[in-house]
Amino acid sequence: MTNDKKNFKEIQNHLKETGFVFQGSEIYGGLANTWDYGPLGISLTKNLKGVWWKEFISKEKNNYGLDSKILMNPEVWVASGHVGNFSDPLIENKVNGKRYRADHIIEETDSSINAEAMSKEEMAKYIKENIKEYDGVKTDWTDIREFHLMFETHQGVLVDSKSKVYLRPETAQGIFVNFKNVQRSMRAKLPMGIGQVGKSFRNEVTPGNFTFRTREFEQMELEVFVKPGEDDAMYKYYIDKTNKFTNLIGLKKESMRLREHDKDELAHYSKGTTDIEFMFPFGWGELLGVANRTDFDLKAHMKHSKQNLEYRDPITNEVFVPYVIEPSMGLDRLALAILVDAYEKEEERIVLKINKELAPYKVAVLPLNKKYHSASAKKVFDKLIDMGIDATYDEAGSIGKRYKRQDAIGTPICLTVIDETEKEDKATIRHRDSMKQEDILVSEVKNYL
Amino acid sequence: MTNDKKNFKEIQNHLKETGFVFQGSEIYGGLANTWDYGPLGISLTKNLKGVWWKEFISKEKNNYGLDSKILMNPEVWVASGHVGNFSDPLIENKVNGKRYRADHIIEETDSSINAEAMSKEEMAKYIKENIKEYDGVKTDWTDIREFHLMFETHQGVLVDSKSKVYLRPETAQGIFVNFKNVQRSMRAKLPMGIGQVGKSFRNEVTPGNFTFRTREFEQMELEVFVKPGEDDAMYKYYIDKTNKFTNLIGLKKESMRLREHDKDELAHYSKGTTDIEFMFPFGWGELLGVANRTDFDLKAHMKHSKQNLEYRDPITNEVFVPYVIEPSMGLDRLALAILVDAYEKEEERIVLKINKELAPYKVAVLPLNKKYHSASAKKVFDKLIDMGIDATYDEAGSIGKRYKRQDAIGTPICLTVIDETEKEDKATIRHRDSMKQEDILVSEVKNYL
């Protein structure tokens, strides 16, 4: 079944019941579209981060990890342009007192318009002339006001001189301001990349669609610094690499499409941006993007900080400000895409066909008969855990019921412990996707995975 | 050399130069004691989190992971007591306009006093009577004012009705409010634990001592829910377990001491608390703690949320509010302790004797002669990376210089690629701690580790 045919509400309920995602602060009625990862959700996201790290940091010889802080000197956000420009255009209907994203309601009304290319005044004019009714009521529109998307807070002890700081809206700037520190301490030559995984915060006007758009979210960003002129090739390399990454984590080809941004929708700093979009039950949504950010960020920080962020080529002695290629993805929406893609409702069961590498548990250990086999099953379970295999143990209910329970949380194989297990090391393996069974030696399970 | 004899400034410089820790937002002059982890720092903290997760979640059959949000419904912090009580007593010297932690300056003046047991008025009285000069100037003290430690921010689109939310000051409450969700979805029986790793924020009056006390920090917290009456045994179990954990990650016995809190310094919710303190270059500091939080938190949330958080024993049908045992540690100070303990300045080298499991790189691959051996060394490096081994490659400078460079970042073994490597799979292994060398087959490196 394609994802647009899947019932999103049903999937959400399933993910809650099975311990993937809970509503944040649920016992207090929640908090505006926040979601917590339960035991299975954190396993999935941990595994996903692990694969990302392996592919984008460990395996790329000249890429390095970083972990910069959420709270940064506010001048960082002045230089990056966020203080000045990171806002959404809001318009209010005086009739019902509700505020809306001006660009969104224009594009809803006429999908052929690219509202991002319009000025505030143009948008207000269009809306006033064309949208006479909205949200079920007549309209009387105000002008457009910019709504800032950065969360503000204050730190320090003196109330009168407490300094305003922001929660970072992206992890990327933490990388740019550390470019020289990393390059120098690693004695790295260009091209080099710096990547990090971490929380970002945006005070979105309309968070929603479950974990797709939330105000607190986690990013996996890589910034690759290259010599100007070598940027186009690197841009292509990372479009290809992110494509392969989506395959590696098991996303279906038919659930995705590549979208290159048109010239007029490119961010002002970008020479080119390509998104991978994913078909969610609510429609196509941006999954990840690769952007050629040129030398915009480093130059902005050089100018504002008065620090030299140029690079000197050790062989040619050429001095230049590097260009930056940025593959950037949201952990939460990637995890959601994986779960949506994996979710299948069959006649007899709900199954999550999650890629083996990412599945919360790799193996479920099940004593065939609780009375006779639980002692040796527990030994098998302990052995797997000691080998570093994510395993779970279940002895409650009929074996068929337990298979179903594991299918529902995406465990690739069940290992049923039988009479022969204790003495002959033999057990029955049962596969999630094919539901087929075969005999196996317990000592072989690790290689088998 | 014991840690109190080590030069802290020298260690900090070393960690910066080698890419463990950089000053946050450094190019903008930093931001009040914030620190970023460089490539080696993030490797170390990732490894440390991995060991914690393995020991406290994976290996404990009835413990589960969680990842709750930093932003929670503000009622959570009303119930937990943070909105009412989470503050520090500050006193201002009118002569120089500076503010100080009242309890700190009392204990500085007379180390036999436990200021935490004093009331605000008692502290003010003591200070006014006894501290006539401080910070090099005469004093004229104000009364004591409580300074709140939670960071505040606002979310939502309507300026007039924006809702105030807090950055969580601890991860623990995210666990308590999810107790039922986790217990139910995992069909878990008590005793069960829920653990998580994540950022917390405290607007500390005096952050300092490098990464020891920072306003943004990362916690590894586990809350173990037990039947009342079984709490003392579980408390002892986790004191023992955290002790073993500090040994497992290689902290020296002589750098630590156990400290049980006296009755009068226990938090109001605690039946018992035991800290492990660590000898830093600046003195003894709290490294981690195990607390018996009783049923305080769950009862507070039951009362405030009007939700039932009781547990029904499936066998006896007894219904009760569980007690909670909490082993809690700060990732940043644990990482700092490891680095401080590992740092040794020898005549010929600086060496970080970091535990093998935690070292940023496990193996450095070094071509003996760049000209002749770099091609086969690169093959070896690729092979190690493919096997999932954290490896680094270095061909710059003499072999002795490269050994030193690896010693300085704690790489346990160097693998020198020689003539025989290509054909006979033979290489020279050199050990960080003993500096001894021996021959090895490259294919054996993984088992060797």
Side-chain angles (χ1 to χ4, degrees):
Chain A
M1 193 190 275
T2 54
N3 295 333
D4 55 334
K5 303 280 192 309
K6 292 177 182 172
N7 183 327
F8 201 26
K9 201 69 219 167
E10 184 185 287
I11 295 176
Q12 291 177 40
N13 287 337
H14 181 77
L15 295 178
K16 188 194 159 174
E17 275 163 30
T18 48
F20 278 92
V21 181
F22 305 129
Q23 187 184 19
S25 309
E26 186 179 8
I27 63 170
Y28 291 99
L31 175 74
N33 205 58
T34 62
W35 305 95
D36 293 345
Y37 290 111
L40 303 194
I42 174 72
S43 289
L44 172 67
T45 55
K46 264 169 68 81
N47 294 341
L48 186 51
K49 285 188 220 183
V51 176
W52 184 87
W53 196 271
K54 191 173 165 196
E55 292 300 318
F56 287 91
I57 309 289
S58 307
K59 279 195 179 173
E60 297 280 339
K61 260 161 265 185
N62 227 12
N63 287 359
Y64 300 91
L66 181 77
D67 187 19
S68 70
K69 288 288 175 287
I70 289 169
L71 302 179
M72 300 178 75
N73 188 309
E75 294 304 321
V76 172
W77 308 110
V78 176
S80 69
H82 284 84
V83 167
N85 301 316
F86 194 55
S87 57
D88 276 344
L90 287 200
I91 193 161
E92 184 176 333
N93 179 2
K94 285 185 249 175
V95 175
N96 63 2
K98 284 195 183 165
R99 295 180 195 189
Y100 307 94
R101 279 276 296 265
D103 50 340
H104 284 184
I105 66 173
I106 292 173
E107 288 174 359
E108 257 175 46
T109 308
D110 182 347
S111 63
S112 73
I113 298 181
N114 173 19
E116 279 181 43
M118 294 167 83
S119 74
K120 255 198 312 201
E121 291 68 30
E122 285 167 347
M123 284 194 280
K125 185 162 178 279
Y126 178 92
I127 289 170
K128 288 173 186 177
E129 282 171 7
N130 294 286
I131 308 180
K132 303 289 189 190
E133 208 181 296
Y134 193 77
D135 231 359
V137 296
K138 296 260 175 242
T139 61
D140 178 10
W141 298 108
T142 62
D143 281 336
I144 287 173
R145 244 191 76 232
E146 288 295 328
F147 176 71
H148 210 275
L149 296 178
M150 282 201 291
F151 280 92
E152 284 178 10
T153 186
H154 290 85
Q155 75 164 18
V157 51
L158 299 173
V159 184
D160 36 326
S161 69
K162 263 187 176 176
S163 53
K164 177 155 84 175
V165 290
Y166 301 98
L167 308 192
R168 68 177 174 203
E170 62 176 32
T171 57
Q173 299 300 326
I175 294 174
F176 297 133
V177 302
N178 275 300
F179 164 61
K180 274 301 214 188
N181 271 334
V182 174
Q183 188 264 320
R184 246 190 249 123
S185 60
M186 297 294 107
R187 302 171 307 115
K189 292 187 195 113
L190 258 51
M192 70 170 284
I194 307 175
Q196 73 173 328
V197 176
K199 288 280 179 80
S200 292
F201 297 81
R202 294 178 189 176
N203 198 358
E204 296 281 357
V205 176
T206 45
N209 284 327
F210 198 38
T211 57
F212 180 76
R213 189 183 303 279
T214 54
R215 290 186 174 129
E216 175 181 345
F217 60 103
E218 195 149 7
Q219 295 186 293
M220 305 190 285
E221 293 198 304
L222 174 69
E223 311 294 329
V224 183
F225 300 86
V226 299
K227 188 173 166 177
E230 294 173 6
D231 53 316
D232 289 335
M234 193 61 87
Y235 177 59
K236 287 203 191 79
Y237 175 80
Y238 275 101
I239 291 172
D240 186 50
K241 174 130 192 163
T242 50
N243 244 315
K244 284 185 186 144
F245 177 74
T246 59
N247 298 333
L248 187 67
I249 59 176
L251 292 176
K252 294 175 190 153
K253 282 207 167 64
E254 61 269 29
S255 302
M256 291 179 290
R257 68 182 184 196
L258 221 66
R259 195 177 75 83
E260 214 182 321
H261 285 214
D262 292 334
K263 278 266 169 303
D264 63 349
E265 60 170 332
L266 281 179
H268 56 287
Y269 54 73
S270 176
K271 190 174 153 185
T273 297
T274 299
D275 289 343
I276 293 179
E277 297 185 332
F278 183 85
M279 187 198 276
F280 289 97
F282 52 82
W284 289 97
E286 186 191 326
L287 190 61
L288 59 86
V290 179
N292 181 342
R293 297 181 73 117
T294 71
D295 54 8
F296 174 81
D297 303 278
L298 287 182
K299 276 196 172 154
H301 286 299
M302 277 180 71
K303 193 173 164 199
H304 198 67
S305 73
K306 310 263 192 302
Q307 302 287 315
N308 187 357
L309 304 179
E310 288 170 329
Y311 173 80
R312 176 187 295 273
D313 187 301
I315 291 163
T316 65
N317 268 321
E318 230 179 319
V319 174
F320 55 85
V321 179
Y323 265 43
V324 171
I325 306 302
E326 175 192 79
S328 167
M329 24 194 131
L331 175 70
D332 307 278
R333 51 178 71 174
L334 214 48
L336 180 61
I338 289 163
L339 289 166
V340 160
D341 235 19
Y343 183 89
E344 285 182 27
K345 202 177 174 181
E346 298 175 357
E347 225 168 278
E348 296 282 315
R349 62 175 188 166
I350 289 174
V351 56
L352 294 183
K353 294 189 172 170
I354 304 176
N355 175 292
K356 207 161 58 180
E357 294 264 322
L358 301 178
Y361 299 120
K362 311 300 181 228
V363 187
V365 179
L366 318 174
L368 179 61
N369 182 308
K370 184 177 166 179
K371 199 167 154 196
Y372 299 116
H373 307 115
S374 75
S376 70
K378 278 173 185 166
K379 274 187 225 158
V380 169
F381 174 74
D382 287 345
K383 209 194 282 178
L384 295 178
I385 293 288
D386 280 342
M387 292 197 287
I389 296 172
D390 294 319
T392 182
Y393 177 86
D394 189 3
E395 57 178 32
S398 73
I399 195 78
K401 210 168 163 186
R402 283 180 274 159
Y403 284 157
K404 268 197 193 171
R405 214 180 271 142
Q406 296 303 324
D407 290 342
I409 61 173
T411 310
I413 59 177
C414 288
L415 198 67
T416 306
V417 170
I418 52 182
D419 284 343
E420 291 85 345
T421 307
E422 185 82 45
K423 291 226 170 100
E424 299 168 38
D425 200 38
K426 208 187 276 174
T428 306
I429 205 169
R430 184 264 192 185
H431 299 268
R432 176 193 69 197
D433 295 351
S434 66
M435 297 193 273
K436 288 207 174 117
Q437 302 187 17
E438 55 182 314
D439 283 349
I440 193 175
L441 293 178
V442 174
S443 54
E444 290 298 311
V445 169
K446 186 157 191 176
N447 292 332
Y448 196 89
L449 286 165
Chain B
M1 192 191 274
T2 54
N3 295 333
D4 55 334
K5 302 279 191 310
K6 292 178 182 172
N7 183 328
F8 201 25
K9 201 69 219 166
E10 183 186 286
I11 294 176
Q12 291 176 39
N13 287 338
H14 180 76
L15 294 177
K16 189 194 159 175
E17 275 163 29
T18 49
F20 278 92
V21 181
F22 305 128
Q23 186 183 18
S25 310
E26 187 179 9
I27 61 170
Y28 290 100
L31 174 74
N33 206 57
T34 62
W35 305 95
D36 293 344
Y37 290 112
L40 303 193
I42 174 71
S43 289
L44 172 67
T45 55
K46 264 169 69 83
N47 294 340
L48 185 51
K49 286 188 219 181
V51 176
W52 184 88
W53 196 269
K54 191 174 165 194
E55 293 299 318
F56 287 90
I57 308 289
S58 307
K59 279 194 179 174
E60 296 281 340
K61 260 162 264 185
N62 227 12
N63 287 0
Y64 301 91
L66 181 76
D67 187 19
S68 71
K69 288 288 174 287
I70 289 169
L71 302 179
M72 300 178 74
N73 188 308
E75 295 304 322
V76 172
W77 308 109
V78 176
S80 69
H82 284 84
V83 166
N85 302 315
F86 194 56
S87 56
D88 277 343
L90 285 201
I91 193 161
E92 183 177 333
N93 179 2
K94 286 185 248 174
V95 175
N96 62 4
K98 284 195 184 166
R99 295 179 193 189
Y100 308 93
R101 279 276 297 264
D103 50 341
H104 284 184
I105 66 174
I106 292 173
E107 289 174 358
E108 256 175 48
T109 309
D110 183 347
S111 62
S112 73
I113 299 179
N114 175 17
E116 279 180 42
M118 295 167 82
S119 74
K120 254 198 313 201
E121 290 69 29
E122 285 166 348
M123 283 195 280
K125 187 162 176 280
Y126 178 90
I127 289 171
K128 287 173 185 175
E129 282 170 10
N130 295 285
I131 308 180
K132 303 290 188 190
E133 207 180 295
Y134 193 77
D135 231 359
V137 296
K138 296 258 175 245
T139 61
D140 178 10
W141 297 107
T142 62
D143 282 336
I144 287 173
R145 244 191 75 231
E146 288 295 329
F147 176 71
H148 210 274
L149 296 179
M150 282 202 291
F151 279 92
E152 285 178 10
T153 186
H154 291 85
Q155 74 165 19
V157 50
L158 299 173
V159 184
D160 36 328
S161 69
K162 264 186 177 178
S163 53
K164 177 156 84 175
V165 290
Y166 302 99
L167 308 193
R168 69 176 173 203
E170 61 177 32
T171 58
Q173 299 300 327
I175 294 174
F176 297 132
V177 302
N178 274 299
F179 164 61
K180 274 300 213 189
N181 271 335
V182 174
Q183 188 265 319
R184 244 190 252 124
S185 60
M186 297 293 107
R187 302 171 306 115
K189 292 187 196 114
L190 259 50
M192 69 169 285
I194 308 176
Q196 72 172 330
V197 176
K199 287 281 177 80
S200 291
F201 298 81
R202 295 179 188 175
N203 198 357
E204 297 281 356
V205 176
T206 45
N209 284 328
F210 196 38
T211 57
F212 179 76
R213 189 182 304 278
T214 55
R215 291 187 173 128
E216 174 182 345
F217 59 104
E218 195 150 8
Q219 294 186 293
M220 305 191 286
E221 292 198 304
L222 174 69
E223 311 295 329
V224 184
F225 300 85
V226 299
K227 188 173 166 177
E230 294 173 6
D231 53 316
D232 289 336
M234 194 60 86
Y235 177 58
K236 287 201 193 80
Y237 175 80
Y238 275 101
I239 291 173
D240 186 51
K241 173 129 193 163
T242 50
N243 243 315
K244 283 185 186 144
F245 177 75
T246 57
N247 298 333
L248 187 68
I249 59 175
L251 292 176
K252 294 176 189 154
K253 283 208 166 65
E254 61 268 30
S255 304
M256 290 179 291
R257 67 182 186 198
L258 221 65
R259 195 177 76 82
E260 214 181 319
H261 286 215
D262 292 335
K263 279 265 170 304
D264 64 349
E265 59 171 330
L266 281 178
H268 57 286
Y269 53 75
S270 178
K271 188 176 156 185
T273 297
T274 300
D275 289 341
I276 293 179
E277 296 185 332
F278 183 85
M279 186 197 276
F280 289 98
F282 53 83
W284 289 98
E286 186 191 326
L287 190 60
L288 60 88
V290 180
N292 182 341
R293 297 182 71 118
T294 70
D295 54 7
F296 174 82
D297 302 278
L298 287 181
K299 277 196 171 154
H301 287 298
M302 277 180 71
K303 194 174 164 200
H304 198 68
S305 73
K306 311 262 192 302
Q307 302 287 315
N308 188 358
L309 305 179
E310 289 171 329
Y311 172 80
R312 175 186 294 272
D313 187 301
I315 291 163
T316 65
N317 267 323
E318 231 179 317
V319 173
F320 56 86
V321 179
Y323 266 43
V324 171
I325 305 303
E326 174 193 79
S328 166
M329 23 195 131
L331 175 70
D332 307 279
R333 50 179 72 176
L334 214 49
L336 180 61
I338 289 164
L339 289 166
V340 161
D341 236 19
Y343 183 90
E344 285 181 26
K345 202 178 174 180
E346 299 175 356
E347 225 168 278
E348 295 282 316
R349 62 175 189 167
I350 289 174
V351 56
L352 293 182
K353 293 188 173 169
I354 304 176
N355 175 292
K356 206 161 59 181
E357 294 263 323
L358 301 177
Y361 299 120
K362 311 300 180 227
V363 187
V365 179
L366 318 174
L368 178 62
N369 181 307
K370 184 176 166 180
K371 198 165 153 198
Y372 299 117
H373 307 116
S374 75
S376 70
K378 278 173 185 167
K379 273 187 225 157
V380 169
F381 173 75
D382 288 344
K383 210 195 279 179
L384 295 178
I385 292 288
D386 281 341
M387 292 196 290
I389 296 171
D390 294 319
T392 181
Y393 177 86
D394 188 3
E395 58 175 32
S398 73
I399 195 78
K401 209 168 162 184
R402 283 180 275 161
Y403 284 156
K404 270 195 191 172
R405 214 180 271 143
Q406 297 302 326
D407 291 341
I409 62 173
T411 310
I413 58 176
C414 288
L415 198 68
T416 305
V417 171
I418 51 181
D419 284 344
E420 290 85 346
T421 308
E422 184 82 44
K423 291 227 170 102
E424 299 168 38
D425 200 40
K426 207 186 279 175
T428 306
I429 205 169
R430 185 265 191 185
H431 299 270
R432 176 193 69 195
D433 296 352
S434 66
M435 297 194 274
K436 287 207 176 116
Q437 302 188 15
E438 56 182 313
D439 283 349
I440 192 174
L441 293 177
V442 174
S443 55
E444 289 298 310
V445 169
K446 186 156 193 177
N447 293 332
Y448 196 90
L449 286 166

